[in-house]
Amino acid sequence: MSQKKYRRVVLKLSGEALAGAGGFGISPEVLHSVADQIREITQLGVQVAVVVGGGNIWRGASASGEGGMERAHADYMGMIATVLNALALQDALERLDVVTRVQTSIEMRQVAEPYIRRRAMRHLEKGRVVIFAGGTGNPFFTTDTAAALRAAEIEADVILMAKNGVDGVYNADPQKVPTATKYDSLNFMTVLSQGLGVMDATATSLCMDNDIPILVFSITKPGNIRRAVLGEPIGTIVRRDIE
């Protein structure tokens, strides 16, 4: 059996990744593909936590900037959107016989557990997939920051940043600049100083302070999550020091 490189991971899924080609809502095909890839790595013995975004349903920053809505109000709506995605992913996983728990930073006990760090770690130790929804529970923070925060709290080995439409970090937008160069590895200071957009600055700084590597790769190619946890050379690795 192939040897896993990581014992415990946080998989960061954007809402856009769940939307697929449609760009809005939840694609059943993408949802099943992601769930199947998560099932694959649980079979390797990897402990998996997932942080989901909500941009396929609602984007608080856009509603605040373009629509004039109060930012805190718009962000709370975005947090609720992440819960919809989390429940959809939970259903897809459990249809594949993967035992799953959803924990939310905003309590809604009828549909999910409240986030409790020690309970989350116990679920992971028992082989359950834990899906963190609701971001950090606070406005003005992105789900990238939630991923960094939860990774630090549960002592994850790495954050797997699963991207839709891009297979790593480039020095320019590869969709606009055909000659853009892909990085195999980067350090946190380079990401921050050059504004490379791996995560927002708050999340990147939190990962740097807690020495949590970030692996950026494409979610659209089946099997990529498995390749990531096996340590195969895919995507771009961001860490405190590069060899």
Side-chain angles (χ1 to χ4, degrees), residues 46 56 109 157 159 166 171 182 197 218 242:
V46 179
N56 56 321
R109 291 178 180 269
D157 299 323
I159 296 176
V166 63
N171 63 350
K182 178 185 168 187
S218 172
I242 56 175

Side-chain angles (χ1 to χ4, degrees), residues 44-45 58 94 98 110 129 142 155 174 205 230 240:
L44 296 173
W58 179 263
E94 295 199 334
V98 179
Q110 286 84 351
V129 172
T142 68
E155 301 171 5
S205 298
L230 292 178
R240 181 178 291 173

Side-chain angles (χ1 to χ4, degrees), residues 12-163:
K12 172 59 172 66
L13 285 173
S14 67
E16 290 85 347
L18 295 178
F24 183 82
I26 300 171
S27 163
E29 294 79 12
V30 172
L31 193 66
H32 176 78
S33 173
V34 171
D36 193 49
Q37 290 187 66
I38 293 172
R39 178 187 60 81
E40 283 185 337
I41 62 173
T42 61
Q43 292 176 339
L44 296 173
V46 179
Q47 297 177 18
V48 185
V50 185
V51 173
V52 290
N56 56 321
I57 298 171
W58 179 263
R59 296 194 66 86
S62 297
S64 173
E66 299 170 10
M69 183 179 289
E70 182 190 14
R71 176 63 189 271
H73 192 83
D75 281 355
Y76 280 120
M77 292 176 66
M79 293 177 212
I80 295 169
T82 70
V83 178
L84 298 179
N85 285 336
L87 293 175
L89 182 59
Q90 179 183 40
D91 178 77
L93 285 164
E94 295 199 334
R95 281 188 277 116
L96 296 174
D97 298 321
V98 179
V99 181
T100 310
R101 297 289 186 274
V102 174
Q103 291 195 345
T104 61
S105 55
I106 299 174
E107 288 195 23
M108 42 187 78
R109 291 178 180 269
Q110 286 84 351
V111 296
E113 298 178 2
Y115 170 68
I116 300 172
R117 173 181 174 269
R118 292 179 66 87
R119 181 180 289 178
M121 295 179 73
R122 185 61 175 153
H123 286 322
L124 293 168
E125 289 164 359
K126 288 188 173 185
R128 299 165 183 157
V129 172
V130 181
I131 306 172
F132 296 124
T136 66
N138 301 286
F140 304 102
F141 291 94
T142 68
T143 51
D144 284 353
T145 300
L149 177 62
R150 297 291 181 251
E153 288 180 304
I154 68 171
E155 301 171 5
D157 299 323
V158 68
I159 296 176
L160 304 177
M161 289 285 293
K163 295 287 190 178

